[in-house]
Amino acid sequence: MSNFKRLKERIAELKQQLRAVIVAHNYQRAEVQDVADFVGDSLELSRQCIKIDAQTIVFCGVRFMAETAAILNPHHTVLLAEDSAGCPLADMISIDELREWKQRYPETLIVCYVNSSAEIKAESYICCTSANGVKVVESVPSDDILFVPDQNLGHYISTQTKKNMILYPGFCHVHHRLKPEQVKLAKKLHPEAQVIVHPECRPDVIALADAALSTSQMLRYAKASSNNSFIIGTEEGLLHRLRQENPDKSFYLVSNSQICTDMKKTTLETVAQTMELRQNIVTVPEEVRLKAKQAVDRMLAIS
Ligand code: 13P
Ligand code: SF4
């Protein structure tokens, strides 16, 4: 029996024993996505987590995603399938930095990208994801907004709203590294293809795209489009579902550097071991959880 098959069988047994649900982000390895009960973008995963009727949530993604599940589900056990999987973008802002910025711009309300720690969420008025950023910002009862931590998503939202947005200078290394010259070259190689990129990309990359979308919005866009080929400006893990759901369409990456090493730390081995040892339990101190939940709930209420 192949190693993958053996691990998949063991994970299925452990799922029953733990009364567990496995959720995975769209950037996970193909074989990890394949053992998950639900695969989605950050907004869908948050929504899914409030519906879960199981004792244990096994989260295949990065820490802030599992923390969001723990914020929303204090009575479930949330396991992160790889303890060291973090998000370098989320780590770009500390609570002290946020408090300093808040003092500098006291008239603003804080909107935080969900790619942030529970502590940052707890200090924010509302959260957003790449799927609902414009709607969230429009809903905020202030014309002045401090947006943390992703400058590119913040800039993209600012082009779609009249609100005055102050942007914290964080970025995602996977998306920020894509350059307009690379998009131009990909377009030259595939002139028939539409370009769809993530809003974590730089403004000059987004300017060359046909659409800037969250990962699950990209899946829906590619399926609904009459076009047959696409240049994709996001992490390569999305290609698994894009190709699976659109076997007759072609997908090309802007460059071969589109890999989030933290997302790839989760393997079938780490999923099985985490479940076997019931380890990597993610918890959030109750005081922080209650405040962070307000920011997440506000987002879920409007989108
Ligand atoms: P999505 O919410 O679009 O899936 O993005 C999450 C993420 O981490 C992007 O880098
Ligand atoms: Fe964080 Fe970027 Fe990885 Fe998404 S792709 S988890 S934003 S480092």
Side-chain angles (χ1 to χ4, degrees):
M1 197 192 297
S2 78
N3 200 29
F4 268 16
K5 193 156 181 258
R6 191 180 50 75
L7 283 164
K8 281 181 179 175
E9 283 182 11
R10 185 65 192 132
I11 289 167
E13 280 166 16
L14 287 162
K15 246 178 68 168
Q16 300 262 330
Q17 282 172 25
L18 268 66
R19 293 218 296 118
V21 161
I22 303 177
V23 295
H25 185 263
N26 286 323
Y27 294 160
Q28 288 289 291
R29 291 171 186 270
E31 64 275 17
V32 172
Q33 294 189 35
D34 291 346
V35 295
D37 298 288
F38 184 82
V39 184
D41 70 3
S42 305
L43 182 61
E44 290 172 335
L45 293 174
S46 302
R47 286 203 176 293
Q48 191 61 26
C49 282
I50 43 179
K51 289 193 229 148
I52 283 173
D53 177 30
Q55 224 158 39
T56 304
I57 302 171
V58 181
F59 214 106
C60 304
V62 292
R63 181 161 293 274
F64 78 81
M65 296 177 173
E67 265 187 2
T68 307
I71 288 165
L72 294 169
N73 295 285
H75 305 301
H76 291 65
T77 303
V78 179
L79 307 179
L80 180 57
E82 164 52 55
D83 199 44
S84 68
C87 168
L89 164 61
D91 294 341
M92 276 185 186
I93 185 163
S94 69
I95 195 67
D96 289 343
E97 281 160 329
L98 180 61
R99 287 184 181 142
E100 194 192 305
W101 277 63
K102 208 172 171 176
Q103 272 186 356
R104 227 187 287 169
Y105 301 104
E107 73 289 0
T108 59
L109 281 179
I110 300 173
V111 178
C112 77
Y113 189 24
V114 74
N115 296 40
S116 56
S117 68
E119 267 190 313
I120 297 294
K121 289 183 177 76
E123 289 283 318
S124 301
Y125 174 74
I126 191 167
C127 284
C128 77
T129 74
S130 58
N132 62 12
V134 176
K135 224 169 158 184
V136 164
V137 164
E138 287 290 317
S139 79
V140 172
S142 165
D143 287 335
D144 299 301
I145 283 159
L146 172 56
F147 188 88
V148 301
D150 188 61
Q151 60 178 306
N152 291 330
L153 175 63
H155 179 272
Y156 174 69
I157 296 169
S158 76
T159 65
Q160 319 279 311
T161 169
K162 287 197 170 67
K163 302 254 181 185
N164 171 36
M165 291 177 64
I166 292 150
L167 309 179
Y168 186 84
F171 59 88
C172 160
H173 66 100
V174 180
H175 293 88
H176 196 68
R177 130 173 9 121
L178 297 180
K179 300 284 170 8
E181 301 71 49
Q182 293 172 306
V183 179
K184 284 179 191 157
L185 181 62
K187 279 174 112 167
K188 219 180 212 169
L189 292 171
H190 310 287
E192 72 298 344
Q194 285 201 320
V195 181
I196 47 180
V197 303
H198 198 275
E200 285 176 16
C201 289
R202 295 160 177 268
D204 51 6
V205 163
I206 293 180
L208 294 171
D210 294 289
L213 303 166
S214 83
T215 55
S216 288
Q217 288 172 339
M218 286 187 190
L219 289 161
R220 290 192 282 277
Y221 184 99
K223 197 174 243 175
S225 171
S226 55
N227 213 282
N228 279 326
S229 58
F230 303 87
I231 295 164
I232 303 297
T234 196
E235 213 272 347
E236 64 89 38
L238 190 68
L239 292 179
H240 179 55
R241 282 186 70 190
L242 281 167
R243 289 184 173 142
Q244 214 172 35
E245 294 174 17
N246 305 278
D248 300 328
K249 297 188 178 185
S250 304
F251 299 95
Y252 312 100
L253 292 174
V254 173
S255 99
N256 57 13
S257 68
Q258 294 163 230
I259 297 176
C260 175
T261 43
D262 278 273
M263 282 284 181
K264 299 309 193 245
K265 286 177 178 172
T266 306
T267 62
L268 288 182
E269 279 89 351
T270 70
V271 176
Q273 194 185 25
T274 299
M275 294 173 80
E276 196 96 53
L277 302 176
R278 290 147 179 76
Q279 64 185 10
N280 312 339
I281 298 176
V282 177
T283 55
V284 177
E286 190 60 5
E287 202 186 305
V288 176
R289 189 188 76 78
L290 288 173
K291 284 170 78 185
K293 187 169 182 298
Q294 270 194 348
V296 179
D297 281 346
R298 280 196 179 112
M299 167 184 85
L300 293 175
I302 62 114
S303 60

